[in-house]
Amino acid sequence: MRCLLQGEAEHRTLFAEFSVRALADSYRLPVRRRKNRLHARAMAPIGGAPIVGLLRVVPRARARGQPDPEQFDIDWTCEGTDEFLGHGSARHLTGNDRARYRSNHVEWENCVWRRRTVASCYLAAFMKFMKKSEESALTNWARVAGLSVATTLVSLAAIEMTLRAVGNEPWRVQTLDRNEPTVHEPHPELGWRNRPGRYEIPAYTAGTAPLTQTLLEDGSRATRADPGVAAAGDPRPELWLLGGSFTKGTAVSDQQTFGWKLQSRFPAIRVRNFATGGYGTYQSLLMMEHQLLSYPAPALVVYGYISDHQARNVATWQWLAHLSRYSSRGHIDVPFATVGGNGQLVRHAPQRYPAWPLRTSLVTVASAQQVFAKLREGNRADRREAVTLAAIRELNALSKSRGSEFVVVLLNALREDRHRMLAHLREAEIDAADCAKPLTPDRIVEGEGVHPNESMHALYAECLAKRITGVMAAR
């Protein structure tokens, strides 16, 4: 605000000077003189906007048109406009008499009207005016804020009802209610790993025996009846299996997995099955790096690929939501990767699906967290095939650098994905075995409906056996 005060006579100029300088001293404002005017700059929160004002001291005319030195008028107008802010009059009094100035905005009272004290009188009136204006502005702000909050709540309620009307529901954690044991445990780098122990899993069909799943201390699944035999001093070459639930053998017992069947077929080779349910290509790479810290490099590394691994490699929001919805802990951290401008793999720390307060009660919150998850993902899902190929190349390079052979085995892949993947692997000169076959009802675990049964695992073992024989013979 620029407050411009102008006096018509010498003593009134002094009056203006006292007023401006008192105001400036109080608010620590710069003041400068220009001819017979004094200026001070200030910001005044009156209705949220600054005011530029002109206080004009006009001598009141005596009879015969002569100025009256003891009585004058005061006008306060807004500079540059015709808006009238206040008007009043005052008379120079002596002794202990008091002067009172009133207007529609401000009030001076109980002020001794003398040259040395008039500035403080003006300042008190001005501050009173400012306080009243600030209180008015605060009241208006509170009214606007209250109206805004009410409008927002009504809008959210309308959105909530609309979302529910079209079939949306709040977030729900799904439980399979099968009393299955927890066979995974969190891991800071891998996201999760197999939890060591021997587990009995209820059968998926009535009248059949429970399933047995034996997970060793190193996180691998048993591939023979004496899994506790130490590897120290064992001269046999090793074969490592990497991948997800198809390779691990989810929903079948130990002896029904193709890892067990390969161990039975090749007793001269020690088979270690490090596959873990829910893993993709990138987590399989991390698992291999983790196990190489504890074991010598194997003679052969076999990675079991399915089409679902592509989404897992980039941690799409759908995959994160699925894991969070079906996790007993309510959340799962998933490490993921992207590709850089040179096509190289770029690694990222584990990420989880957002868990916002009230998501289990309000559809709006559940929908908002889904939108957030989509925005956070960006366009990395569009590069999932490129990320998968980059991770396979790193698996191959790591194996070769340790003197190991590397084979990608296709276990289940969509037709287009299958042809593209085989073409990419041939172009990259990476050994591949196409063992994918249609998962017809007679090849899926009855009652579970997702994973291959023992007969399908036998087909996988037969397909891989030919490739293993050729690779080991060439060494």
Side-chain angles (χ1 to χ4, degrees):
M1 179 180 79
R2 185 179 64 173
C3 181
L4 176 60
L5 304 180
Q6 177 182 356
E8 298 294 339
E10 181 179 358
H11 71 280
R12 295 180 180 85
T13 301
L14 290 176
F15 161 77
E17 182 175 355
F18 283 134
S19 300
V20 174
R21 291 199 179 278
L23 180 63
D25 291 342
S26 175
Y27 288 92
R28 299 181 180 178
L29 305 174
V31 178
R32 69 179 187 275
R33 177 184 293 275
R34 187 174 63 192
K35 294 183 180 179
N36 65 335
R37 295 185 178 185
L38 293 171
H39 302 265
R41 296 185 179 274
M43 294 300 297
I46 302 174
I51 285 182
V52 179
L54 170 63
L55 180 65
R56 186 170 63 237
V57 183
V58 182
R60 178 169 293 181
R62 272 184 178 179
R64 302 177 184 174
Q66 297 297 321
D68 185 350
E70 296 183 350
Q71 187 170 325
F72 50 88
D73 293 335
I74 300 176
D75 290 337
W76 191 359
T77 59
C78 187
E79 182 179 344
T81 70
D82 296 329
E83 182 180 359
F84 179 73
L85 297 182
H87 174 76
S89 63
R91 178 177 175 81
H92 184 90
L93 302 176
T94 59
N96 294 325
D97 294 330
R98 303 294 182 180
R100 174 174 294 186
Y101 169 81
R102 292 182 181 274
S103 76
N104 60 328
H105 285 288
V106 297
E107 178 179 338
W108 291 357
E109 57 182 331
N110 297 329
C111 292
V112 178
W113 193 260
R114 290 176 180 165
R115 185 173 297 179
R116 294 182 178 276
T117 59
V118 68
S120 61
C121 293
Y122 168 76
L123 181 59
F126 179 79
M127 293 181 67
K128 184 175 181 179
F129 167 70
M130 291 292 293
K131 182 179 181 181
K132 182 177 179 181
S133 299
E134 290 174 357
E135 291 175 350
S136 177
L138 183 61
T139 302
N140 291 336
W141 179 88
R143 187 181 297 110
V144 172
L147 182 60
S148 299
V149 171
T151 303
T152 301
L153 292 177
V154 171
S155 300
L156 290 175
I159 295 173
E160 179 76 16
M161 290 187 292
T162 302
L163 291 174
R164 289 177 181 269
V166 297
N168 292 284
E169 296 181 352
W171 178 265
R172 294 286 184 266
V173 176
Q174 302 294 330
T175 57
L176 299 178
D177 194 24
R178 279 182 34 84
N179 297 319
E180 289 192 17
T182 301
V183 298
H184 298 122
E185 61 185 8
H187 191 278
E189 298 176 1
L190 304 175
W192 63 93
R193 67 187 292 270
N194 291 326
R195 182 182 181 185
R198 181 179 176 84
Y199 304 96
E200 281 195 357
I201 300 174
Y204 293 95
T205 55
T208 58
L211 309 176
T212 301
Q213 189 172 145
T214 306
L215 303 175
L216 308 182
E217 289 298 324
D218 58 6
S220 64
R221 186 168 187 181
T223 56
R224 57 183 180 177
D226 56 344
V229 177
D234 191 340
R236 294 178 300 172
E238 293 191 0
L239 184 157
W240 287 7
L241 298 176
L242 302 172
S245 57
F246 274 52
T247 305
K248 177 186 177 182
T250 296
V252 296
S253 290
D254 294 334
Q255 68 274 14
Q256 296 174 324
T257 65
F258 73 80
W260 186 289
K261 296 180 183 299
L262 288 174
Q263 181 66 85
S264 300
R265 183 156 185 168
F266 297 96
I269 300 176
R270 184 183 180 93
V271 178
R272 295 185 185 273
N273 187 354
F274 291 115
T276 305
Y279 271 21
T281 320
Y282 177 55
Q283 283 174 288
S284 298
L285 170 63
L286 296 178
M287 173 59 79
M288 181 177 177
E289 294 172 342
H290 180 72
Q291 295 299 337
L292 285 174
L293 299 176
S294 303
Y295 296 113
L300 175 62
V301 176
V302 175
Y303 160 62
Y305 170 82
I306 66 173
S307 296
D308 293 343
H309 288 183
Q310 293 195 14
R312 300 175 186 180
N313 293 331
V314 296
T316 62
W317 71 267
Q318 296 97 326
W319 176 238
L320 295 179
H322 175 81
L323 292 177
S324 181
R325 194 179 298 276
Y326 285 92
S327 168
S328 59
R329 292 183 292 123
H331 63 270
I332 291 290
D333 296 304
V334 182
F336 68 97
T338 55
V339 288
N342 57 357
Q344 296 299 311
L345 199 69
V346 179
R347 306 183 181 209
H348 298 272
Q351 189 175 91
R352 67 176 59 174
Y353 192 74
W356 290 2
L358 300 179
R359 65 173 181 166
T360 59
S361 302
L362 298 177
V363 178
T364 48
V365 176
S367 300
Q369 75 172 7
Q370 178 176 305
V371 172
F372 171 79
K374 291 180 180 180
L375 294 175
R376 184 182 61 179
E377 176 186 307
N379 63 346
R380 67 179 187 237
D382 299 336
R383 305 297 306 279
R384 53 190 174 188
E385 183 177 275
V387 171
T388 301
L389 292 172
I392 290 176
R393 288 195 298 268
E394 286 212 14
L395 272 170
N396 181 63
L398 178 59
S399 300
K400 300 297 185 183
S401 68
R402 296 300 185 96
S404 307
E405 299 298 325
F406 178 70
V407 175
V408 177
V409 53
L410 273 64
L411 301 176
N412 184 37
L414 301 175
R415 174 175 293 184
E416 293 183 2
D417 175 39
R418 179 182 179 184
H419 293 316
R420 285 199 310 270
M421 184 58 64
L422 290 172
H424 287 310
L425 293 175
R426 284 194 299 268
E427 183 180 356
E429 298 182 347
I430 297 176
D431 197 3
D434 185 8
C435 299
K437 297 183 181 299
L439 287 178
T440 54
D442 60 319
R443 293 172 178 170
I444 299 176
V445 175
E446 185 180 359
E448 193 260 356
V450 177
H451 291 92
N453 59 16
E454 184 179 9
S455 64
M456 191 67 212
H457 276 271
L459 294 175
Y460 290 151
E462 185 68 26
C463 177
L464 272 172
K466 300 176 183 178
R467 186 56 53 92
I468 292 172
T469 301
V471 170
M472 299 305 293
R475 286 183 63 87

